[in-house]
Amino acid sequence: MKTVIDFKNSKQQGKKISMVTCYDYWSAKIIDESEIDAVLVGDSVAMVMHGFETTINAEIEMMCYHVAAVKRGLKDKLLIADLPFLAHRKGTKYLMEAIDKLMKAGAQAIKIEGADDNIELIQYIVKTGIPVMGHLGLTPQSVHQLGGYKLQGKDSEASKKLLDDAQKLEKAGCFSIVLEMLPYELSKKITDELSIPTIGIGAGPFTNGQILVLQDMLGLSKEFQPKFLRKYLNGYELILNSLNKFNNDVKNQIYPDLNESYT
């Protein structure tokens, strides 16, 4: 079973960390047989699986439902879950109840977006024995404040704040930090300054690892093609062609044949 200790060891040994998002049982089973290191049940589930426009619709019940499904398919991967929108802004009692639900659903660690007022909360969570992954740069839960899904840290002031925030997250006890949509020079500087590993998405090649949304890397959306995304499969065309082939076989009485029938 992979643990947060493996993350730290990977950085010390100069080994890259691979992560993908996952939201369901059947894909979790495939991932479990792969060489991928860790899985994130991200709040992107609200967009990818439920069709919402942003991640803010991923409430705790939705997150727990998908965490539990993924956990049933995983045996040998570290499972991290996103803390949903505003869960850390409704008081410590609500926060810990939300984390309790995520952990009991099967998460081994949680991810929290942003720094600033979150630092003391992260310290508190870590002291209770719960591993926390940070998240800086483009933080999707703050998409309306950020003005959209845009590159972050483009000027010296913003860059300095992101580096300061990363150092604060490390000091607060985070075992790793996701860096999203940052210039690669800044991501490299942050990575070099920290003793904990960084996981990039749209943050260049110099982070300690990379994460992609599973459906994105499998090419299941023909429209979604940000600069950072490398598609490892044309899943959209493969599935569409398979559906049309099935339809054709049924309509032309090719499927099923007698070999696929019972006597």
Side-chain angles (χ1 to χ4, degrees):
M1 175 68 74
K2 301 285 186 180
T3 70
V4 295
I5 302 301
D6 294 315
F7 267 59
K8 186 174 183 179
N9 291 340
S10 292
K11 173 153 186 167
Q12 292 175 344
Q13 297 165 11
K15 296 179 180 178
K16 294 286 188 177
I17 300 165
S18 59
M19 291 183 61
V20 292
T21 65
C22 181
Y23 316 114
D24 53 54
Y25 171 74
W26 74 268
S27 56
K29 287 193 70 177
I30 297 173
I31 293 169
D32 200 55
E33 294 187 28
S34 76
E35 298 176 359
I36 294 292
D37 294 310
V39 168
L40 171 69
V41 179
D43 54 6
S44 51
V45 66
M47 302 171 70
V48 177
M49 301 296 286
H50 295 273
F52 289 105
E53 293 186 359
T54 72
T55 65
I56 63 176
N57 295 95
E59 297 186 358
I60 189 65
E61 291 78 14
M62 181 190 293
M63 293 300 302
C64 289
Y65 180 83
H66 288 278
V67 168
V70 171
K71 180 60 178 176
R72 287 191 284 270
L74 290 182
K75 294 182 178 66
D76 191 40
K77 309 296 179 187
L78 180 66
L79 176 55
I80 304 160
D82 263 331
L83 192 66
F85 180 66
L86 290 184
H88 55 305
R89 297 297 187 186
K90 297 179 180 180
T92 304
K93 183 177 184 293
Y94 182 92
L95 168 66
M96 298 311 293
E97 287 176 351
I99 293 173
D100 181 51
K101 291 177 180 178
L102 289 171
M103 300 296 282
K104 286 178 177 174
Q108 296 158 273
I110 64 164
K111 180 167 74 65
I112 299 178
E113 292 186 5
D116 298 326
D117 295 342
N118 292 346
I119 297 300
E120 289 186 9
L121 290 173
I122 291 171
Q123 290 174 328
Y124 179 78
I125 296 166
V126 171
K127 285 179 180 178
T128 65
I130 300 163
V132 176
M133 172 181 274
H135 186 157
L136 294 174
L138 174 60
T139 47
Q141 292 178 9
S142 304
V143 64
H144 296 307
Q145 185 181 46
L146 296 174
Y149 296 96
K150 301 176 180 179
L151 187 70
Q152 304 298 306
K154 293 186 290 185
D155 57 56
S156 58
E157 183 179 352
S159 296
K160 183 179 184 305
K161 184 179 188 316
L162 284 164
L163 177 58
D164 290 343
D165 285 346
Q167 291 170 330
K168 289 176 182 176
L169 288 175
E170 178 179 26
K171 188 175 180 181
C174 288
F175 72 91
S176 179
I177 302 175
V178 170
L179 301 178
E180 182 169 359
M181 291 292 289
L182 297 181
Y184 72 83
E185 301 94 338
L186 174 58
S187 295
K188 183 178 188 302
K189 183 174 180 59
I190 292 172
T191 300
D192 292 344
E193 290 286 334
L194 302 182
S195 63
I196 58 174
T198 58
I199 308 297
I201 177 168
F206 301 112
T207 54
N208 301 120
Q210 299 290 332
I211 182 169
L212 284 176
V213 171
L214 180 65
Q215 284 81 353
D216 294 344
M217 65 169 290
L218 295 181
L220 296 180
S221 172
K222 63 179 181 179
E223 294 88 8
F224 187 65
Q225 185 61 67
K227 182 178 182 180
F228 68 81
L229 175 60
R230 182 178 297 181
K231 294 184 178 181
Y232 289 84
L233 187 74
N234 191 348
Y236 183 91
E237 291 294 332
L238 287 172
I239 293 173
L240 181 62
N241 291 340
S242 297
L243 290 169
N244 287 335
K245 181 68 166 60
F246 168 65
N247 173 74
N248 180 74
D249 287 357
V250 171
K251 300 277 177 67
N252 291 287
Q253 301 182 49
I254 298 171
Y255 175 82
D257 61 24
L258 292 181
N259 290 326
E260 295 158 326
S261 304
Y262 298 97
T263 59

